[in-house]
Amino acid sequence: MGDLIGKSVKRVEDYRLLKGEGKYTDDFNMANQTFAVYVRSPHAHAKLVNVDISAAKAMDGVVNVFTGKDIKDAGIVGSICGWQVDFKNGDTMKEPGHPILAVDKVRHVGDAVALVIAEDKGTARDAAGAVEVTYEVLDAIVDPKAAAQDGAPQIHDDVPNNTIFDWELGNKDETDKAFKNAHHITELSYHNQKLIPNAIEPRAALGHYDISDDKYTLYTTSQNPHLARLIIAAFVLSIPEHKLRVVAPDVGGGFGSKIFTYNDECGVLWASKQIGRPVKWTADRTEAFFTDCHGRDHVTDAKLALDADGNITGLRTKTYASLGAYLSNFSTCVPTYLHGTLMQGAYITPAVHVDVTAVVTNTVPVDALRGAGRPEATYCIERLIETAAREIGMDPAEFRLKNFIPPFDGVKQPGYQTQVALQYDSGNYEGTLKKVLKNAKYEKLKKERDAARADGKLMGIGFSTYVEACGLAPSALVGSLGCRIGLYDAASIRVHPTGKVTIFAGAHSHGQGHDTTFAQIVADEFGIGMDDVNVVHGDTDSVPFGYGTYGSRSISVCGNAIMKSVDKVKEKGARIAAHKLECSPEDLEFENGSWTVKGTEKSVGFGDVSLTAYVPHDYPENEEPGLDFTSFYDPANFVFPFGAHICVVEVDKDTGEVKVVKYFTVDDAGNVINPMIVEGQIHGGLAHGIGQALYEGAVYDDSGQLLNGSMLEYCIPRADNMPLFETDSTVTPCPHNPLGVKGIAEAGTIGSTPAVVNAVIDALSDYGVKDLQMPLAPQRVWAAMQQAK
């Protein structure tokens, strides 16, 4: 071990990106390239009576125009759902088709009905406007709970009551008993509102079919190019997988929205073969609002049961989860296995029951968005916890400390088995809360709050303590739960003759800092400089098959695949070094870039061994040349980061505007490779979570029109909305992976949203306000105060 792991090394990729030298999908062009524009429905629900493309096809510069009938006649289907979640009674979930271009019906505003290909983008746009579509408008449904009721408009003929599945987890009988015997019951009903991802780079695709070698190439904005290749080749276009190369170059943010394989890139790739030329499509910002998968959209009734001493005895939730108009790749697992399984949180809760009904609505499809199910679960739990504490007259910190699961490291004490399937790996929840209480000077904060109220000002303090699950695993287990893909990752390490190293990573970097952290691990382990390590990712023709980047899995899954390959290099390097030093490999120790005979000064350096591996003149018998290894890592379990947040807000009595004035976090992500990158991830996550609490939310009217489908109307947080975050950490290593790491990229989002809402409710407590629906926009807060008066 060197001195790089645990050090705040500056991100090596930033110099290139900050100079504007990033290379994004829209920056790529090919010879003889054409441009694509999709014609999209202005209606949320309508029969498709006729699509007249004659005028568009006749325009100068138009290469071709395709309709849903063309693609259907070619036997091409749309993208698929990758996780099967069946009904409570065992019936198979409903899985309606999602055609690349609509054939008989459109089901949300933005549903594609035609694909126009032209010599330039302007002509393609003009021709798209010339496509005449006749619709028969139908009633729409956008509310998740209403969608499941009798008499609601039916979106798919083969999905009765718009219900994809119903699902439950936990022990219903024991939970019913807990509530029957409860001394106190806290109840909340809320809408965890629909969010729009708004990655800074819109989605884009450049598809090319090369007749000379019968091979397809797709440049695309993807978080996991190998998964995109698998879905497109095997399930959408039905082409040999080795005949498709997918390249995800620099990607300008994803937040989950670029995990999925969208129909848009499939259509571009198919069209390229039809016209015999490359086809390029780049979404504009409005198109992104109406087609990028949204997140959240849960309507929930939740209850918490307590005994006379303030101990939690039961938790019950009923959720209606909208999946949008069609099933996205992982939409079905978000409100179930990524949500229900986290419903115990950090607390001893003897009985838990989670009930979910997943429905389709006439809205943009819903899938993973930063946190993906875990923010929804934590919001539910932490709002219940804070409300219950207030109702029984107990300090919210004291109430949490009273009900926390005791510390466990997963080694001396076994992992903690929850009531909702998961076994936590390690945790010290009271440790993070006590540390954040100390850092925030909580007793002083309370005095400041009381003084502010005495002066007629509205100041509030809110808490959130969370447990999240990262790095879904293991593949066999999640496969038994309906997951249709693997969940391992892969990494190759190629040591070159001069001792330089290339890492080929299955994970994709789009802001996470892989070029830095992955290089830190390898440079630290080999005792070489970070400048001697190069990281390659994003090209299915270059990197081993991995499942990409999502769910805060990169370091805990791909990072440990890297470690496995590091160990293989060291093992072979020891055999080569032992031959050169005329000793046994067991007699060697590796430190500071050299193999040394124990107890002596005889050693050979990493560079000498590397050169010998490729110029094997003085070489062990029967040892193959080269120093190049690939490893696959399939984790034994999820990893479970946790933390405690305190938010301090001020509310303007005259306008209802909420200002976050202080924010404290203590997060535990196990061992940390690069503290600076971890802090940056936390900052980004906090901004995202605060955005949901105060600013963001997709607003649909009853006809299914998205009323805030642009940056003019959809409010996202700005830098001046954020306070200076005061972050800190504890370290509770993961006991089951070599690096002892967990994940961190979504922790800030998961913990912050309930902390902010709890702080606002605290500020309004003198008004008797007990709950507010997000986002806590000024008019909503002001109206609550007026109503309370």
PDB file of all heavy atoms in Angstrom, residues 338 342 374 422 425 466-473 550-554 556-557 635 637-642 736 741-747 750:
ATOM      1  N   LEU A 338     -35.861  -1.522  -4.879  1.00  0.00           N
ATOM      2  CA  LEU A 338     -34.982  -0.422  -4.486  1.00  0.00           C
ATOM      3  C   LEU A 338     -35.662   0.529  -3.505  1.00  0.00           C
ATOM      4  O   LEU A 338     -35.049   1.484  -3.047  1.00  0.00           O
ATOM      5  CB  LEU A 338     -34.529   0.364  -5.722  1.00  0.00           C
ATOM      6  CG  LEU A 338     -33.677  -0.396  -6.733  1.00  0.00           C
ATOM      7  CD1 LEU A 338     -33.290   0.502  -7.888  1.00  0.00           C
ATOM      8  CD2 LEU A 338     -32.441  -0.987  -6.081  1.00  0.00           C
ATOM      9  N   LEU A 342     -35.788  -0.884   1.590  1.00  0.00           N
ATOM     10  CA  LEU A 342     -35.114   0.093   2.462  1.00  0.00           C
ATOM     11  C   LEU A 342     -36.077   0.694   3.478  1.00  0.00           C
ATOM     12  O   LEU A 342     -35.734   1.666   4.158  1.00  0.00           O
ATOM     13  CB  LEU A 342     -34.508   1.211   1.610  1.00  0.00           C
ATOM     14  CG  LEU A 342     -33.079   1.017   1.103  1.00  0.00           C
ATOM     15  CD1 LEU A 342     -32.097   0.935   2.264  1.00  0.00           C
ATOM     16  CD2 LEU A 342     -32.938  -0.204   0.218  1.00  0.00           C
ATOM     17  N   ARG A 374     -34.578   4.732  -3.159  1.00  0.00           N
ATOM     18  CA  ARG A 374     -34.065   4.985  -1.807  1.00  0.00           C
ATOM     19  C   ARG A 374     -34.434   6.380  -1.300  1.00  0.00           C
ATOM     20  O   ARG A 374     -34.798   6.519  -0.121  1.00  0.00           O
ATOM     21  CB  ARG A 374     -32.553   4.779  -1.751  1.00  0.00           C
ATOM     22  CG  ARG A 374     -32.147   3.320  -1.892  1.00  0.00           C
ATOM     23  CD  ARG A 374     -31.719   2.944  -3.288  1.00  0.00           C
ATOM     24  NE  ARG A 374     -30.336   3.334  -3.534  1.00  0.00           N
ATOM     25  CZ  ARG A 374     -29.814   3.546  -4.739  1.00  0.00           C
ATOM     26  NH1 ARG A 374     -30.584   3.429  -5.806  1.00  0.00           N
ATOM     27  NH2 ARG A 374     -28.550   3.869  -4.888  1.00  0.00           N
ATOM     28  N   LEU A 422     -33.407  -7.336   3.227  1.00  0.00           N
ATOM     29  CA  LEU A 422     -31.978  -7.051   3.144  1.00  0.00           C
ATOM     30  C   LEU A 422     -31.265  -7.311   4.469  1.00  0.00           C
ATOM     31  O   LEU A 422     -31.854  -7.190   5.547  1.00  0.00           O
ATOM     32  CB  LEU A 422     -31.750  -5.603   2.735  1.00  0.00           C
ATOM     33  CG  LEU A 422     -32.252  -5.194   1.352  1.00  0.00           C
ATOM     34  CD1 LEU A 422     -31.928  -3.732   1.087  1.00  0.00           C
ATOM     35  CD2 LEU A 422     -31.663  -6.064   0.256  1.00  0.00           C
ATOM     36  N   ASP A 425     -24.729  -4.543   5.865  1.00  0.00           N
ATOM     37  CA  ASP A 425     -23.373  -5.068   6.028  1.00  0.00           C
ATOM     38  C   ASP A 425     -22.688  -4.563   7.291  1.00  0.00           C
ATOM     39  O   ASP A 425     -22.094  -5.342   8.050  1.00  0.00           O
ATOM     40  CB  ASP A 425     -22.513  -4.768   4.787  1.00  0.00           C
ATOM     41  CG  ASP A 425     -22.451  -3.285   4.428  1.00  0.00           C
ATOM     42  OD1 ASP A 425     -23.138  -2.470   5.083  1.00  0.00           O
ATOM     43  OD2 ASP A 425     -21.709  -2.944   3.486  1.00  0.00           O
ATOM     44  N   TYR A 466     -30.253   8.305   7.370  1.00  0.00           N
ATOM     45  CA  TYR A 466     -30.614   7.409   6.273  1.00  0.00           C
ATOM     46  C   TYR A 466     -29.698   6.189   6.232  1.00  0.00           C
ATOM     47  O   TYR A 466     -28.559   6.208   6.722  1.00  0.00           O
ATOM     48  CB  TYR A 466     -30.520   8.148   4.926  1.00  0.00           C
ATOM     49  CG  TYR A 466     -29.090   8.445   4.530  1.00  0.00           C
ATOM     50  CD1 TYR A 466     -28.360   7.528   3.763  1.00  0.00           C
ATOM     51  CD2 TYR A 466     -28.439   9.601   4.953  1.00  0.00           C
ATOM     52  CE1 TYR A 466     -27.032   7.763   3.431  1.00  0.00           C
ATOM     53  CE2 TYR A 466     -27.119   9.850   4.627  1.00  0.00           C
ATOM     54  CZ  TYR A 466     -26.414   8.927   3.870  1.00  0.00           C
ATOM     55  OH  TYR A 466     -25.099   9.155   3.553  1.00  0.00           O
ATOM     56  N   VAL A 467     -30.207   5.136   5.629  1.00  0.00           N
ATOM     57  CA  VAL A 467     -29.405   4.002   5.175  1.00  0.00           C
ATOM     58  C   VAL A 467     -29.752   3.809   3.710  1.00  0.00           C
ATOM     59  O   VAL A 467     -30.931   3.829   3.345  1.00  0.00           O
ATOM     60  CB  VAL A 467     -29.731   2.706   5.944  1.00  0.00           C
ATOM     61  CG1 VAL A 467     -28.869   1.554   5.426  1.00  0.00           C
ATOM     62  CG2 VAL A 467     -29.525   2.894   7.437  1.00  0.00           C
ATOM     63  N   GLU A 468     -28.754   3.664   2.874  1.00  0.00           N
ATOM     64  CA  GLU A 468     -29.054   3.375   1.468  1.00  0.00           C
ATOM     65  C   GLU A 468     -28.320   2.118   1.027  1.00  0.00           C
ATOM     66  O   GLU A 468     -27.373   1.666   1.679  1.00  0.00           O
ATOM     67  CB  GLU A 468     -28.706   4.555   0.568  1.00  0.00           C
ATOM     68  CG  GLU A 468     -27.231   4.791   0.328  1.00  0.00           C
ATOM     69  CD  GLU A 468     -26.961   5.297  -1.092  1.00  0.00           C
ATOM     70  OE1 GLU A 468     -27.620   4.790  -2.027  1.00  0.00           O
ATOM     71  OE2 GLU A 468     -26.090   6.155  -1.245  1.00  0.00           O
ATOM     72  N   ALA A 469     -28.793   1.550  -0.064  1.00  0.00           N
ATOM     73  CA  ALA A 469     -28.186   0.339  -0.620  1.00  0.00           C
ATOM     74  C   ALA A 469     -27.567   0.670  -1.967  1.00  0.00           C
ATOM     75  O   ALA A 469     -28.217   1.266  -2.822  1.00  0.00           O
ATOM     76  CB  ALA A 469     -29.237  -0.759  -0.780  1.00  0.00           C
ATOM     77  N   CYS A 470     -26.309   0.293  -2.161  1.00  0.00           N
ATOM     78  CA  CYS A 470     -25.596   0.538  -3.418  1.00  0.00           C
ATOM     79  C   CYS A 470     -25.060  -0.782  -3.966  1.00  0.00           C
ATOM     80  O   CYS A 470     -24.827  -1.731  -3.216  1.00  0.00           O
ATOM     81  CB  CYS A 470     -24.410   1.472  -3.201  1.00  0.00           C
ATOM     82  SG  CYS A 470     -24.804   3.018  -2.410  1.00  0.00           S
ATOM     83  N   GLY A 471     -24.816  -0.789  -5.258  1.00  0.00           N
ATOM     84  CA  GLY A 471     -24.183  -1.955  -5.863  1.00  0.00           C
ATOM     85  C   GLY A 471     -25.040  -3.198  -5.748  1.00  0.00           C
ATOM     86  O   GLY A 471     -24.693  -4.157  -5.062  1.00  0.00           O
ATOM     87  N   LEU A 472     -26.196  -3.194  -6.420  1.00  0.00           N
ATOM     88  CA  LEU A 472     -27.125  -4.324  -6.355  1.00  0.00           C
ATOM     89  C   LEU A 472     -26.376  -5.633  -6.507  1.00  0.00           C
ATOM     90  O   LEU A 472     -25.546  -5.775  -7.402  1.00  0.00           O
ATOM     91  CB  LEU A 472     -28.166  -4.229  -7.470  1.00  0.00           C
ATOM     92  CG  LEU A 472     -29.323  -3.255  -7.276  1.00  0.00           C
ATOM     93  CD1 LEU A 472     -28.872  -1.819  -7.430  1.00  0.00           C
ATOM     94  CD2 LEU A 472     -30.432  -3.549  -8.272  1.00  0.00           C
ATOM     95  N   ALA A 473     -26.711  -6.602  -5.647  1.00  0.00           N
ATOM     96  CA  ALA A 473     -25.939  -7.835  -5.677  1.00  0.00           C
ATOM     97  C   ALA A 473     -26.570  -8.869  -4.749  1.00  0.00           C
ATOM     98  O   ALA A 473     -27.396  -8.532  -3.907  1.00  0.00           O
ATOM     99  CB  ALA A 473     -24.503  -7.538  -5.213  1.00  0.00           C
ATOM    100  N   TYR A 550     -24.258   3.212 -12.309  1.00  0.00           N
ATOM    101  CA  TYR A 550     -25.558   3.619 -11.762  1.00  0.00           C
ATOM    102  C   TYR A 550     -25.606   3.096 -10.332  1.00  0.00           C
ATOM    103  O   TYR A 550     -24.826   2.230  -9.931  1.00  0.00           O
ATOM    104  CB  TYR A 550     -26.719   3.032 -12.573  1.00  0.00           C
ATOM    105  CG  TYR A 550     -26.658   1.531 -12.729  1.00  0.00           C
ATOM    106  CD1 TYR A 550     -27.229   0.690 -11.781  1.00  0.00           C
ATOM    107  CD2 TYR A 550     -25.996   0.952 -13.794  1.00  0.00           C
ATOM    108  CE1 TYR A 550     -27.142  -0.692 -11.893  1.00  0.00           C
ATOM    109  CE2 TYR A 550     -25.902  -0.426 -13.925  1.00  0.00           C
ATOM    110  CZ  TYR A 550     -26.479  -1.236 -12.974  1.00  0.00           C
ATOM    111  OH  TYR A 550     -26.380  -2.601 -13.088  1.00  0.00           O
ATOM    112  N   GLY A 551     -26.513   3.610  -9.536  1.00  0.00           N
ATOM    113  CA  GLY A 551     -26.715   3.074  -8.202  1.00  0.00           C
ATOM    114  C   GLY A 551     -25.493   3.154  -7.307  1.00  0.00           C
ATOM    115  O   GLY A 551     -25.313   2.310  -6.431  1.00  0.00           O
ATOM    116  N   SER A 552     -24.625   4.160  -7.515  1.00  0.00           N
ATOM    117  CA  SER A 552     -23.431   4.364  -6.683  1.00  0.00           C
ATOM    118  C   SER A 552     -22.598   3.086  -6.588  1.00  0.00           C
ATOM    119  O   SER A 552     -22.103   2.733  -5.518  1.00  0.00           O
ATOM    120  CB  SER A 552     -23.844   4.833  -5.277  1.00  0.00           C
ATOM    121  OG  SER A 552     -24.621   5.993  -5.331  1.00  0.00           O
ATOM    122  N   ARG A 553     -22.421   2.415  -7.723  1.00  0.00           N
ATOM    123  CA  ARG A 553     -21.793   1.096  -7.722  1.00  0.00           C
ATOM    124  C   ARG A 553     -20.354   1.086  -8.222  1.00  0.00           C
ATOM    125  O   ARG A 553     -19.667   0.069  -8.106  1.00  0.00           O
ATOM    126  CB  ARG A 553     -22.623   0.141  -8.585  1.00  0.00           C
ATOM    127  CG  ARG A 553     -22.514   0.392 -10.086  1.00  0.00           C
ATOM    128  CD  ARG A 553     -23.540  -0.373 -10.903  1.00  0.00           C
ATOM    129  NE  ARG A 553     -23.385  -1.803 -10.835  1.00  0.00           N
ATOM    130  CZ  ARG A 553     -22.622  -2.516 -11.658  1.00  0.00           C
ATOM    131  NH1 ARG A 553     -21.918  -1.898 -12.600  1.00  0.00           N
ATOM    132  NH2 ARG A 553     -22.563  -3.817 -11.547  1.00  0.00           N
ATOM    133  N   SER A 554     -19.879   2.184  -8.784  1.00  0.00           N
ATOM    134  CA  SER A 554     -18.616   2.135  -9.521  1.00  0.00           C
ATOM    135  C   SER A 554     -17.450   1.665  -8.663  1.00  0.00           C
ATOM    136  O   SER A 554     -16.700   0.773  -9.048  1.00  0.00           O
ATOM    137  CB  SER A 554     -18.295   3.504 -10.117  1.00  0.00           C
ATOM    138  OG  SER A 554     -19.250   3.867 -11.078  1.00  0.00           O
ATOM    139  N   SER A 556     -17.540   0.298  -5.559  1.00  0.00           N
ATOM    140  CA  SER A 556     -17.758  -0.935  -4.803  1.00  0.00           C
ATOM    141  C   SER A 556     -17.797  -2.172  -5.695  1.00  0.00           C
ATOM    142  O   SER A 556     -17.540  -3.280  -5.216  1.00  0.00           O
ATOM    143  CB  SER A 556     -19.051  -0.842  -3.989  1.00  0.00           C
ATOM    144  OG  SER A 556     -20.186  -0.753  -4.827  1.00  0.00           O
ATOM    145  N   VAL A 557     -18.100  -1.996  -6.973  1.00  0.00           N
ATOM    146  CA  VAL A 557     -18.162  -3.156  -7.871  1.00  0.00           C
ATOM    147  C   VAL A 557     -16.988  -3.123  -8.850  1.00  0.00           C
ATOM    148  O   VAL A 557     -16.111  -3.982  -8.827  1.00  0.00           O
ATOM    149  CB  VAL A 557     -19.513  -3.223  -8.612  1.00  0.00           C
ATOM    150  CG1 VAL A 557     -19.599  -4.518  -9.428  1.00  0.00           C
ATOM    151  CG2 VAL A 557     -20.676  -3.152  -7.627  1.00  0.00           C
ATOM    152  N   PRO A 635     -20.509  -8.901  -6.407  1.00  0.00           N
ATOM    153  CA  PRO A 635     -20.470  -8.743  -4.948  1.00  0.00           C
ATOM    154  C   PRO A 635     -21.315  -9.785  -4.220  1.00  0.00           C
ATOM    155  O   PRO A 635     -22.296 -10.307  -4.745  1.00  0.00           O
ATOM    156  CB  PRO A 635     -21.044  -7.337  -4.731  1.00  0.00           C
ATOM    157  CG  PRO A 635     -20.900  -6.652  -6.046  1.00  0.00           C
ATOM    158  CD  PRO A 635     -21.028  -7.711  -7.088  1.00  0.00           C
ATOM    159  N   ASN A 637     -23.021  -9.038  -1.570  1.00  0.00           N
ATOM    160  CA  ASN A 637     -24.168  -8.343  -1.000  1.00  0.00           C
ATOM    161  C   ASN A 637     -24.126  -6.900  -1.494  1.00  0.00           C
ATOM    162  O   ASN A 637     -23.132  -6.439  -2.054  1.00  0.00           O
ATOM    163  CB  ASN A 637     -24.090  -8.386   0.537  1.00  0.00           C
ATOM    164  CG  ASN A 637     -25.355  -7.886   1.223  1.00  0.00           C
ATOM    165  OD1 ASN A 637     -26.386  -7.637   0.589  1.00  0.00           O
ATOM    166  ND2 ASN A 637     -25.291  -7.716   2.543  1.00  0.00           N
ATOM    167  N   PHE A 638     -25.232  -6.191  -1.293  1.00  0.00           N
ATOM    168  CA  PHE A 638     -25.202  -4.751  -1.448  1.00  0.00           C
ATOM    169  C   PHE A 638     -24.154  -4.171  -0.477  1.00  0.00           C
ATOM    170  O   PHE A 638     -23.738  -4.832   0.478  1.00  0.00           O
ATOM    171  CB  PHE A 638     -26.549  -4.132  -1.042  1.00  0.00           C
ATOM    172  CG  PHE A 638     -27.713  -4.441  -1.920  1.00  0.00           C
ATOM    173  CD1 PHE A 638     -28.333  -5.677  -1.879  1.00  0.00           C
ATOM    174  CD2 PHE A 638     -28.244  -3.474  -2.752  1.00  0.00           C
ATOM    175  CE1 PHE A 638     -29.440  -5.948  -2.659  1.00  0.00           C
ATOM    176  CE2 PHE A 638     -29.352  -3.726  -3.533  1.00  0.00           C
ATOM    177  CZ  PHE A 638     -29.955  -4.973  -3.493  1.00  0.00           C
ATOM    178  N   VAL A 639     -23.802  -2.914  -0.689  1.00  0.00           N
ATOM    179  CA  VAL A 639     -23.126  -2.146   0.351  1.00  0.00           C
ATOM    180  C   VAL A 639     -24.120  -1.115   0.870  1.00  0.00           C
ATOM    181  O   VAL A 639     -25.006  -0.661   0.137  1.00  0.00           O
ATOM    182  CB  VAL A 639     -21.835  -1.469  -0.158  1.00  0.00           C
ATOM    183  CG1 VAL A 639     -20.793  -2.514  -0.504  1.00  0.00           C
ATOM    184  CG2 VAL A 639     -22.108  -0.587  -1.378  1.00  0.00           C
ATOM    185  N   PHE A 640     -23.969  -0.716   2.150  1.00  0.00           N
ATOM    186  CA  PHE A 640     -24.982   0.110   2.792  1.00  0.00           C
ATOM    187  C   PHE A 640     -24.359   1.345   3.450  1.00  0.00           C
ATOM    188  O   PHE A 640     -24.067   1.345   4.651  1.00  0.00           O
ATOM    189  CB  PHE A 640     -25.741  -0.714   3.829  1.00  0.00           C
ATOM    190  CG  PHE A 640     -26.536  -1.848   3.243  1.00  0.00           C
ATOM    191  CD1 PHE A 640     -25.963  -3.112   3.103  1.00  0.00           C
ATOM    192  CD2 PHE A 640     -27.836  -1.656   2.809  1.00  0.00           C
ATOM    193  CE1 PHE A 640     -26.680  -4.160   2.556  1.00  0.00           C
ATOM    194  CE2 PHE A 640     -28.562  -2.704   2.256  1.00  0.00           C
ATOM    195  CZ  PHE A 640     -27.984  -3.960   2.126  1.00  0.00           C
ATOM    196  N   PRO A 641     -24.156   2.413   2.674  1.00  0.00           N
ATOM    197  CA  PRO A 641     -23.727   3.677   3.274  1.00  0.00           C
ATOM    198  C   PRO A 641     -24.839   4.219   4.184  1.00  0.00           C
ATOM    199  O   PRO A 641     -26.006   3.839   4.061  1.00  0.00           O
ATOM    200  CB  PRO A 641     -23.502   4.595   2.076  1.00  0.00           C
ATOM    201  CG  PRO A 641     -23.554   3.719   0.873  1.00  0.00           C
ATOM    202  CD  PRO A 641     -24.362   2.531   1.230  1.00  0.00           C
ATOM    203  N   PHE A 642     -24.477   5.131   5.043  1.00  0.00           N
ATOM    204  CA  PHE A 642     -25.475   5.728   5.933  1.00  0.00           C
ATOM    205  C   PHE A 642     -24.976   7.092   6.366  1.00  0.00           C
ATOM    206  O   PHE A 642     -23.807   7.454   6.131  1.00  0.00           O
ATOM    207  CB  PHE A 642     -25.730   4.824   7.137  1.00  0.00           C
ATOM    208  CG  PHE A 642     -24.505   4.482   7.938  1.00  0.00           C
ATOM    209  CD1 PHE A 642     -24.120   5.246   9.024  1.00  0.00           C
ATOM    210  CD2 PHE A 642     -23.712   3.378   7.590  1.00  0.00           C
ATOM    211  CE1 PHE A 642     -22.983   4.929   9.758  1.00  0.00           C
ATOM    212  CE2 PHE A 642     -22.573   3.055   8.316  1.00  0.00           C
ATOM    213  CZ  PHE A 642     -22.204   3.835   9.407  1.00  0.00           C
ATOM    214  N   HIS A 736     -17.278  -7.050   3.274  1.00  0.00           N
ATOM    215  CA  HIS A 736     -17.295  -8.136   2.294  1.00  0.00           C
ATOM    216  C   HIS A 736     -16.663  -7.789   0.953  1.00  0.00           C
ATOM    217  O   HIS A 736     -16.756  -8.574   0.005  1.00  0.00           O
ATOM    218  CB  HIS A 736     -18.728  -8.658   2.076  1.00  0.00           C
ATOM    219  CG  HIS A 736     -19.689  -7.649   1.494  1.00  0.00           C
ATOM    220  ND1 HIS A 736     -19.646  -7.249   0.187  1.00  0.00           N
ATOM    221  CD2 HIS A 736     -20.729  -6.989   2.055  1.00  0.00           C
ATOM    222  CE1 HIS A 736     -20.608  -6.384  -0.039  1.00  0.00           C
ATOM    223  NE2 HIS A 736     -21.282  -6.202   1.072  1.00  0.00           N
ATOM    224  N   VAL A 741     -15.017  -0.505   0.692  1.00  0.00           N
ATOM    225  CA  VAL A 741     -15.690   0.725   0.280  1.00  0.00           C
ATOM    226  C   VAL A 741     -17.195   0.533   0.172  1.00  0.00           C
ATOM    227  O   VAL A 741     -17.692  -0.591   0.029  1.00  0.00           O
ATOM    228  CB  VAL A 741     -15.148   1.217  -1.076  1.00  0.00           C
ATOM    229  CG1 VAL A 741     -13.704   1.649  -0.957  1.00  0.00           C
ATOM    230  CG2 VAL A 741     -15.295   0.128  -2.149  1.00  0.00           C
ATOM    231  N   LYS A 742     -17.900   1.645   0.206  1.00  0.00           N
ATOM    232  CA  LYS A 742     -19.334   1.670  -0.072  1.00  0.00           C
ATOM    233  C   LYS A 742     -19.556   2.664  -1.208  1.00  0.00           C
ATOM    234  O   LYS A 742     -18.647   2.888  -2.002  1.00  0.00           O
ATOM    235  CB  LYS A 742     -20.110   2.008   1.198  1.00  0.00           C
ATOM    236  CG  LYS A 742     -19.857   0.999   2.340  1.00  0.00           C
ATOM    237  CD  LYS A 742     -20.769   1.196   3.523  1.00  0.00           C
ATOM    238  CE  LYS A 742     -20.481   0.145   4.600  1.00  0.00           C
ATOM    239  NZ  LYS A 742     -21.436   0.226   5.726  1.00  0.00           N
ATOM    240  N   GLY A 743     -20.718   3.257  -1.325  1.00  0.00           N
ATOM    241  CA  GLY A 743     -20.985   4.229  -2.389  1.00  0.00           C
ATOM    242  C   GLY A 743     -21.387   5.554  -1.783  1.00  0.00           C
ATOM    243  O   GLY A 743     -21.801   5.618  -0.626  1.00  0.00           O
ATOM    244  N   ILE A 744     -21.326   6.636  -2.569  1.00  0.00           N
ATOM    245  CA  ILE A 744     -21.602   7.961  -1.991  1.00  0.00           C
ATOM    246  C   ILE A 744     -22.358   8.892  -2.931  1.00  0.00           C
ATOM    247  O   ILE A 744     -22.918   9.903  -2.485  1.00  0.00           O
ATOM    248  CB  ILE A 744     -20.284   8.634  -1.545  1.00  0.00           C
ATOM    249  CG1 ILE A 744     -20.552   9.767  -0.552  1.00  0.00           C
ATOM    250  CG2 ILE A 744     -19.490   9.121  -2.753  1.00  0.00           C
ATOM    251  CD1 ILE A 744     -21.178   9.356   0.734  1.00  0.00           C
ATOM    252  N   ALA A 745     -22.446   8.601  -4.225  1.00  0.00           N
ATOM    253  CA  ALA A 745     -22.926   9.604  -5.187  1.00  0.00           C
ATOM    254  C   ALA A 745     -24.368  10.017  -4.970  1.00  0.00           C
ATOM    255  O   ALA A 745     -24.766  11.115  -5.363  1.00  0.00           O
ATOM    256  CB  ALA A 745     -22.758   9.074  -6.617  1.00  0.00           C
ATOM    257  N   GLU A 746     -25.172   9.145  -4.357  1.00  0.00           N
ATOM    258  CA  GLU A 746     -26.588   9.463  -4.174  1.00  0.00           C
ATOM    259  C   GLU A 746     -26.949   9.809  -2.730  1.00  0.00           C
ATOM    260  O   GLU A 746     -28.079  10.193  -2.439  1.00  0.00           O
ATOM    261  CB  GLU A 746     -27.436   8.281  -4.645  1.00  0.00           C
ATOM    262  CG  GLU A 746     -27.284   8.022  -6.130  1.00  0.00           C
ATOM    263  CD  GLU A 746     -27.712   6.622  -6.546  1.00  0.00           C
ATOM    264  OE1 GLU A 746     -27.164   5.642  -6.023  1.00  0.00           O
ATOM    265  OE2 GLU A 746     -28.607   6.520  -7.393  1.00  0.00           O
ATOM    266  N   ALA A 747     -25.987   9.677  -1.820  1.00  0.00           N
ATOM    267  CA  ALA A 747     -26.258   9.859  -0.394  1.00  0.00           C
ATOM    268  C   ALA A 747     -26.810  11.244  -0.082  1.00  0.00           C
ATOM    269  O   ALA A 747     -27.755  11.394   0.703  1.00  0.00           O
ATOM    270  CB  ALA A 747     -24.992   9.592   0.411  1.00  0.00           C
ATOM    271  N   ILE A 750     -30.450  11.453  -1.035  1.00  0.00           N
ATOM    272  CA  ILE A 750     -31.304  10.619  -0.191  1.00  0.00           C
ATOM    273  C   ILE A 750     -31.540  11.265   1.171  1.00  0.00           C
ATOM    274  O   ILE A 750     -32.663  11.277   1.683  1.00  0.00           O
ATOM    275  CB  ILE A 750     -30.671   9.222  -0.041  1.00  0.00           C
ATOM    276  CG1 ILE A 750     -30.721   8.489  -1.389  1.00  0.00           C
ATOM    277  CG2 ILE A 750     -31.351   8.411   1.062  1.00  0.00           C
ATOM    278  CD1 ILE A 750     -29.817   7.281  -1.466  1.00  0.00           C
TER     279      ILE A 750
END
